[in-house]
Amino acid sequence: MTRSRIYLDHAATSPLRPEAKAAMEEGFAIWANPSSPHAEGRKAKQALEDARARVKAALGWDGEVIFTSGASEALWIALNRAKVDRRIVSAVEHDAVFRAAPDAEVVPIADMKAELAREALDAALAKPGKAMVVIQAVNSETGTELIVPGGDHTREIVDRVREAGGLFLCDCSQSAGKRRIPDVDMAVVSSQKLGGPIGIAALLVRDYAMLEPTGGHERGYRQGTENMPAALGFAAALEAGGQETWATDTGQRLDLRDSLREHGEPLIFGPQRSYIIAVAHPTMSAQAQLIRLDAMGFAVSAGSACSSGTLKKSRVLDAFGVPDDVAARTIRVSMGWSTTPEELEAFAEAWRSLS
């Protein structure tokens, strides 16, 4: 009997939740453009605004919500339309941040503790001009938690940024729907990482006045017709629940990490979320692992989906101080709402068989 394939690449895209699929089907029946003035358009507009309110409520966000085509566009709008003079980013941000702000000042990670080098951050904030500081909540390649809602380190950074007159943007693509949004000025939330549809995300903004409007849709802060059916799916996926509704619990996911340690080297840098594991094989290259595991029926990756097709060393692992030879043997295993304990056991067995 052939076993079904096992999907362990949720950090790239998580399977669509049934609740999101049903909500999208309702949206497809309201097919008009939400910006049209006629009755059909007004009905679509009402559904879009209902989805916006539900997303805000599910995330516990009392500011504004701008729907975008994905997290990359949300980051681009924040980085290029914010009323700031400079951009300061952590060295382990997603490639989309560096594409959107190629001239940003990069602050390194200090002492392998998943904390920014504070002296470097202070020096960057002290320069002339209003700055936006960008730090992700959870790293997509290692599961490292850089921004902890309510954490002392997070409060200290946010206070430093605000005391310097700057804005704080947090990329919550890998944490939204799993942990609450931190107290920041702007945040990015990705639908596809939490069981919602591909092709929609949200830029959360404390106040529209922080952005320069560009005209078009979304109160004039984004161009392009809104994807109303996807917005409904996004809202439904958030409402379906966070990690408490998953088929696995934290202990089972940490058990997988411990079992991988028996044959490899999980890469841990300070606090880590249990649903993303970066692990280095003792001898086998990442590319060889992916080929072998794919043939065995397992979908995993070698880092961010936006860069895993290249053979270059991961910029993120380099910033975390991972030696080249270890980085070349590192793959990413990521879990989500549909991952089962049996799938984790099957993967651990397959991992042990690699040689």
Side-chain angles (χ1 to χ4, degrees):
M1 183 176 179
T2 303
R3 185 187 66 199
S4 299
R5 287 183 59 82
I6 293 177
Y7 184 80
L8 294 172
D9 197 20
H10 288 253
T13 298
S14 200
L16 189 67
R17 284 180 177 267
E19 299 90 343
K21 182 174 184 292
M24 291 178 70
E25 289 172 348
E26 293 179 8
F28 290 139
I30 313 171
W31 44 264
N33 189 321
S35 296
S36 296
H38 45 62
E40 290 83 356
R42 295 196 303 273
K43 187 174 182 179
K45 181 70 169 182
Q46 182 179 2
L48 178 70
E49 295 310 315
D50 176 65
R52 195 187 312 276
R54 289 162 59 195
V55 166
K56 289 175 63 173
L59 292 171
W61 181 255
D62 59 4
E64 309 295 345
V65 171
I66 299 171
F67 286 127
T68 68
S69 63
S72 293
E73 185 192 13
L75 288 165
W76 192 94
I77 292 173
L79 286 161
N80 289 277
R81 298 301 180 191
K83 295 177 181 178
V84 296
D85 305 301
R86 302 180 295 116
R87 292 146 194 85
I88 303 168
V89 306
S90 87
V92 295
E93 294 306 301
H94 192 278
D95 283 347
V97 170
F98 292 93
R99 287 194 296 268
D103 59 345
E105 184 170 352
V106 180
V107 175
I109 297 297
D111 302 326
M112 305 285 283
K113 293 180 181 178
E115 295 183 358
L116 288 187
R118 299 185 188 189
E119 291 184 2
L121 176 61
D122 287 343
L125 287 171
K127 295 178 181 179
K130 184 174 182 177
M132 168 179 276
V133 174
V134 186
I135 308 174
Q136 60 194 193
V138 174
N139 186 266
S140 63
E141 294 189 35
T142 65
T144 305
E145 193 167 28
L146 285 88
I147 295 297
V148 181
D152 291 341
H153 176 65
T154 297
R155 281 196 298 268
E156 180 183 349
I157 291 179
V158 173
D159 288 346
R160 287 181 182 211
V161 173
R162 288 176 175 165
E163 287 171 4
L167 299 178
F168 193 105
L169 166 64
C170 186
D171 181 0
C172 297
S173 297
Q174 298 294 345
S175 66
K178 308 173 183 73
R179 295 206 67 170
R180 65 183 175 87
I181 303 298
D183 177 23
V184 292
D185 300 300
M186 300 185 197
V188 171
V189 178
S190 174
S191 166
Q192 71 191 64
K193 314 293 186 183
L194 48 86
I198 292 173
I200 190 163
L203 173 61
L204 311 185
V205 185
R206 189 66 65 192
D207 188 330
Y208 281 134
M210 294 176 175
L211 297 173
E212 291 284 356
T214 61
H217 300 76
E218 290 298 283
R219 276 67 168 181
Y221 292 93
R222 176 187 180 263
Q223 300 184 48
T225 302
E226 294 96 339
N227 188 346
M228 179 269 294
L232 291 173
F234 188 1
L238 280 168
E239 292 169 344
Q243 284 184 265
E244 70 276 2
T245 68
W246 288 15
T248 59
D249 58 33
T250 299
Q252 290 166 325
R253 296 189 292 273
L254 292 178
D255 285 344
L256 171 64
R257 189 177 72 183
D258 291 341
S259 68
L260 298 180
R261 183 178 283 111
E262 297 173 4
H263 187 60
E265 180 186 353
L267 306 183
I268 302 173
F269 314 100
Q272 183 184 37
R273 302 303 286 166
S274 63
Y275 47 84
I276 299 177
I277 300 172
V279 59
H281 192 276
T283 59
M284 188 177 293
S285 73
Q287 294 299 319
Q289 290 177 69
L290 296 187
I291 293 170
R292 289 279 299 278
L293 289 166
D294 190 41
M296 296 165 71
F298 295 92
V300 296
S301 69
S304 168
C306 298
S307 59
S308 60
T310 71
L311 295 177
K312 298 186 297 183
K313 179 184 177 181
S314 162
R315 177 184 46 75
V316 166
L317 296 184
D318 192 45
F320 274 123
V322 178
D324 290 356
D325 65 313
V326 176
R329 294 181 274 108
T330 298
I331 64 170
R332 180 185 70 182
V333 182
S334 53
M335 297 145 272
W337 68 271
S338 61
T339 306
T340 66
E342 293 76 19
E343 289 175 334
L344 299 186
E345 293 172 4
F347 179 79
E349 181 180 351
W351 169 263
R352 286 191 293 268
S353 74
L354 294 179
S355 59

